[in-house]
Amino acid sequence: MRVITGSARGRKLAKPGKADLRPTSDMVKEAIFNIIQFDIDGKRVLDLFAGTGQLGIEAASRGASSVTFVDENKEAAKLIKTNLDRCCLSGKIISADSMSFLNNCGQFDLIFIDPPYEGGLAVRSVEKIFKFDILSESGIIICETGRETELLSAEAPYPAGKEYIYGKTKVTIFYGGQYGLNENSHISGKL
């Protein structure tokens, strides 16, 4: 695992020693950042179920103004700290249950959701983000799930974007209201 581009380009990230952490594959990570490449600089980022922290670290490397990493696994929190140090980047690491964190966390511009594929955590996370209005008006949610997982249909102000399939992985994108209303948005043009 390496940082693709930005200030930490090429830095190698520490891998998990435990089998219960499943890092996003390099192919999926590169595809995600190709989709959102112009929507990172200056954004407040949430890396939910952060694991190794590689999605948030990639966003920080590309100019995100702040990154919050949330994972209840204590080993994951240590791994994120190690990876941030390797990349000379900073971020807020919260070792807590991701679902509980969403109850009172404020708004973010870019939210990565990458929970274990089993157990329905992706669906419940997206529901909470919509319910508590956690995504900013111009924000983006990137949700990584198993290929067969069905997420709820988004309603205004959260228009659904597109689903992308990469082997056994599905990436679903939701946009804040501004993207659904702005025909000149480069993201609207991509979908």
Side-chain angles (χ1 to χ4, degrees):
M1 296 185 311
R2 292 185 185 273
V3 178
I4 300 168
T5 197
S7 65
R9 181 181 180 175
R11 299 277 173 99
K12 190 173 181 180
L13 301 177
K15 296 180 182 178
K18 291 186 165 191
D20 60 345
L21 292 178
R22 176 201 39 80
T24 299
S25 74
D26 287 342
M27 177 185 70
V28 172
K29 181 173 77 169
E30 189 164 350
I32 287 170
F33 282 94
N34 282 339
I35 294 166
I36 62 168
Q37 62 184 322
F38 302 110
D39 294 290
I40 301 169
D41 191 42
K43 303 296 185 189
R44 295 162 298 169
V45 177
L46 172 60
D47 190 348
L48 202 60
F49 307 98
T52 63
Q54 70 168 324
L55 295 176
I57 287 170
E58 187 70 42
S61 178
R62 293 172 183 237
S65 65
S66 67
V67 182
T68 300
F69 301 87
V70 181
D71 201 300
E72 69 180 347
N73 184 312
K74 302 282 188 206
E75 294 304 313
K78 290 177 187 174
L79 189 59
I80 294 165
K81 174 73 170 113
T82 297
N83 284 332
L84 283 169
D85 290 346
R86 282 185 177 191
C87 296
C88 301
L89 296 169
S90 63
K92 183 176 183 180
I93 303 168
I94 299 175
S95 187
D97 175 70
S98 293
M99 297 305 296
S100 297
F101 173 81
L102 292 175
N103 290 334
N104 190 20
C105 65
Q107 283 196 328
F108 292 91
D109 304 308
L110 177 58
I111 301 173
F112 295 108
I113 304 171
D114 185 13
Y117 287 174
E118 304 301 320
L121 289 170
V123 173
R124 290 178 23 227
S125 297
V126 171
E127 286 174 348
K128 272 197 170 191
I129 289 167
F130 291 172
K131 178 181 177 181
F132 294 119
D133 199 26
I134 295 168
L135 185 67
S136 68
E137 185 177 331
S138 61
I140 303 170
I141 299 171
I142 307 288
C143 188
E144 184 180 333
T145 62
R147 184 181 187 137
E148 304 304 319
T149 301
E150 291 298 322
L151 295 174
L152 58 127
S153 298
E155 297 178 6
Y158 301 106
K162 191 171 181 180
E163 292 180 343
Y164 300 85
I165 303 294
Y166 305 97
K168 295 179 181 180
T169 300
K170 177 167 61 173
V171 174
T172 305
I173 302 177
F174 296 93
Y175 301 104
Q178 180 177 323
Y179 284 115
L181 300 173
N182 184 355
E183 293 178 14
N184 296 322
S185 167
H186 75 277
I187 288 184
S188 294
K190 281 186 174 181
L191 300 177

